[in-house]
Amino acid sequence: MRLSRSFLPTLKENPAEAQIVSHRLMLRAGLVRQTASGIYAWLPAGLKVLRNIGQIVREEQDRIGAQEVLMPTLQSADLWRRSGRYDAYGPEMLRIQDRHKRELLYGPTNEEMITDLFGQAVKSYKELPQALYHIQWKFRDEVRPRFGVMRGREFLMKDAYSFDVDYASAVTSYRRMLLAYLRTFQRLGVQAVPMRADTGPIGGELSHEFLILAPTGESGVYYDAALGEQDWLDEPVDTNNPEALEAFFNRVTTPYAATDEMHDTAAWENVPAERRREGRGVEVGHIFYFGNKYTKALDVSITGPDGNKLYPEMGSYGIGVSRLTGAIIEACHDENGIIWPDSVAPFKAAILNLKMGDTLCDDVCERIYAAAPEDFLYDDRAERAGVKFADADLMGHPWQIVVGPRGAKEGIVELKRRATGERREVSVDDALALVLAG
RNA sequence: CGGGCAGUAGCGCAGUCUGGUAGCGCAUCAGUCUGGGGGACUGGGGGUCGUGGGUUCGAAUCCCGCCUGCCCGACCA
């Protein structure tokens, strides 16, 4: 993308409405614009990030055999009456009427709908287990939206739902999903720690929240350092093997980890002092098992091995995709702007032409731009060098390829790594190779 | 939903107390000089002062209603 032709409106000053750093940076870097309280338009660069996150989430869901569907944003009130939640939900649910005065709602979640869809199609235990997910916009009419996309009213969520024939199988589904989540967040370039969460009336231990560590997080977190040092992408767990998943699950959930609401000071004292980590975190994912609550409420049953009817056991697994863009920025920024992890950055690299109109600089830039196998942002504006440096730092491209008249005549460019600030002078070919390797 | 604050140019703000028909910085446009960390100079454009009503010869300014946004709390992916 050529910056001179792109819709990438950066702001030099902080908009008054934005208080926290991710909100300010998202507005300043031209990722989003607010259109109403808690409702945002995603501009080209922001949309790229949203899609990059969604793609990683998708790949990890697919990897464990979950299948993608897409359910509508609007749902019928009748469906929710069947589960009893239409009246229970309260004013956070946005209720709408169509022209025939039929009652609709903008979905705040999808348990009813997925359960209904499942029940219409699946009739036998032989078809289980199943896991379905979708990535869709939801709406919750929060009393007080804030923190930009981190706590908006309209938000993009990945929701997965598992269906199993019995508790043991449901637990395996749950554990499989936990592994997928650890892998997902690691690939997104952030450290997310799974913490035991309140399971409410259902009880049991099958509810975990995933919190990204960031000093501005809304919850206090306490965890054993052992949790922060593992490479989940290298876990050799066979996700089709329940015993392997159980061993893995026990290993992951044994070290202490809790948000302040669930904090147990006695257990905390048992963690060796040098391994205690305290901080703050942003919740970006939540998985839980809820048994046959919805299959029973909606009377969705299948035939079991013994020929009797059986209510499938369900779990639900959410990831806040739009919230993640904000949360990642909370975890990855400095005083100059965003520092995108490579995996989600809207542009892997920016090419900064420090002297537009200079034949050598123009040639070198065009050569790099043409050779780049993916979308680089070419800053070809007739702006001064300082403006380009500042905007590139603000937008947070992992790499900056700086082309100035000094080096251009030698075929040399300066390659800057945003995360470390490290710069080095390299040939054009090396610059491309290094960016693509990194 | 309780408590607080604010709406004036694209953004950040002054002007409101003490009424006289709107201003500053940045951005933008034209030109000149510049040219490796948000440059300088000259000239220009851009405003239903959130909105409706009232007071007044006259309202951004005073009074009343409404709308919108933000902050703290309760609540929440």
Side-chain angles (χ1 to χ4, degrees), chain A residues 119-354:
Chain A
Q120 288 175 31
V122 178
K123 299 297 172 197
S124 161
Y125 77 97
K126 292 177 184 172
E127 298 171 72
L128 295 190
Q130 288 279 348
L132 302 169
Y133 74 97
H134 80 339
I135 298 178
Q136 179 62 289
W137 292 95
K138 303 188 162 194
F139 193 91
R140 287 187 196 165
D141 200 359
E142 295 278 345
V143 197
R144 189 186 159 208
R146 61 186 127 169
F147 307 147
V149 300
M150 300 242 288
R151 178 97 180 265
R153 292 192 293 173
E154 187 184 48
F155 52 97
L156 188 63
M157 281 282 289
K158 185 282 293 183
D159 275 292
Y161 301 94
S162 63
F163 298 87
D164 284 276
V165 73
D166 57 22
Y167 179 73
S169 174
V171 170
T172 296
S173 291
Y174 182 92
R175 291 169 175 161
R176 190 182 289 126
M177 195 61 81
L178 184 99
L179 173 61
Y181 270 45
L182 290 169
R183 290 178 51 93
T184 300
F185 293 120
Q186 185 172 336
R187 287 186 60 193
L188 291 173
V190 288
Q191 190 182 345
V193 181
M195 313 223 164
R196 275 280 298 284
D198 192 358
T199 47
I202 295 162
E205 59 179 22
L206 293 180
S207 177
H208 285 86
E209 296 176 339
F210 291 76
L211 287 97
I212 285 185
L213 304 175
T216 46
E218 65 220 319
S219 315
V221 297
Y222 303 82
Y223 68 100
D224 186 324
L227 274 174
E229 295 157 354
Q230 301 196 36
D231 184 353
W232 310 109
L233 301 182
D234 272 349
E235 280 295 324
V237 182
D238 175 1
T239 55
N240 291 316
N241 180 333
E243 290 75 32
L245 280 169
E246 180 174 13
F248 158 78
F249 180 81
N250 289 337
R251 196 153 46 78
V252 172
T253 55
T254 301
Y256 187 86
T259 59
D260 37 18
E261 302 96 51
M262 296 287 285
H263 190 44
D264 175 348
T265 45
W268 182 236
E269 297 297 320
N270 291 331
V271 178
E274 72 278 7
R275 292 204 342 238
R276 287 181 207 156
R277 297 286 183 276
E278 286 185 45
R280 303 201 68 76
V282 181
E283 187 186 345
V284 291
H286 196 164
I287 61 178
F288 56 95
Y289 159 81
F290 51 71
N292 56 22
K293 176 175 174 188
Y294 292 100
T295 45
K296 242 182 181 157
L298 298 175
D299 194 27
V300 166
S301 64
I302 60 173
T303 306
D306 57 3
N308 291 323
K309 93 173 179 181
L310 157 171
Y311 292 107
E313 301 273 321
M314 293 177 63
S316 114
Y317 315 88
I319 290 181
V321 176
S322 51
R323 169 179 271 199
L324 262 164
T325 57
I328 291 170
I329 293 171
E330 288 294 326
C332 307
H333 70 273
D334 64 14
E335 63 281 2
N336 295 320
I338 301 169
I339 305 173
W340 286 117
D342 297 77
S343 58
V344 299
F347 299 96
K348 183 146 205 164
I351 304 162
L352 308 193
N353 187 339
L354 297 194

Side-chain angles (χ1 to χ4, degrees), chain A residues 24 29 54 64 148 180 254 278 306 357 365 369 385 388 391 403 420 432:
Chain A
R24 287 206 286 252
I64 57 166
T254 301
E278 286 185 45
D306 57 3
C365 288
Y369 186 60
K388 299 192 178 191
D391 270 346
V403 180
T420 60
L432 264 175

Side-chain angles (χ1 to χ4, degrees), chain A residues 336 352 354 379 381 384-395 400 402-403 414 416 418 423:
Chain A
N336 295 320
L352 308 193
L354 297 194
D379 192 342
R381 296 174 299 174
R384 300 175 65 84
V387 174
K388 299 192 178 191
F389 286 127
D391 270 346
D393 284 347
L394 172 64
M395 290 188 273
Q400 294 171 21
V402 181
V403 180
E414 185 180 274
K416 175 180 165 181
R418 177 69 176 90
R423 306 149 185 247

Side-chain angles (χ1 to χ4, degrees), chain A residues 51-68 133 135 158 180-181 183-184 187-188 233 319 343:
Chain A
R51 287 197 172 135
N52 291 344
I53 294 171
Q55 185 54 31
I56 289 173
V57 169
R58 243 179 215 113
E59 287 171 11
E60 292 300 326
Q61 293 292 294
D62 292 347
R63 192 172 175 276
I64 57 166
Q67 300 162 79
E68 186 169 9
Y133 74 97
I135 298 178
K158 185 282 293 183
Y181 270 45
R183 290 178 51 93
T184 300
R187 287 186 60 193
L188 291 173
L233 301 182
I319 290 181
S343 58

Side-chain angles (χ1 to χ4, degrees), chain A residues 84-102:
Chain A
R85 286 212 289 179
Y86 190 69
D87 295 323
Y89 215 93
E92 286 200 335
M93 179 189 278
L94 181 63
R95 296 151 207 260
I96 308 168
Q97 278 191 351
D98 69 11
R99 68 198 304 167
H100 298 112
K101 309 277 187 225
R102 283 186 290 243

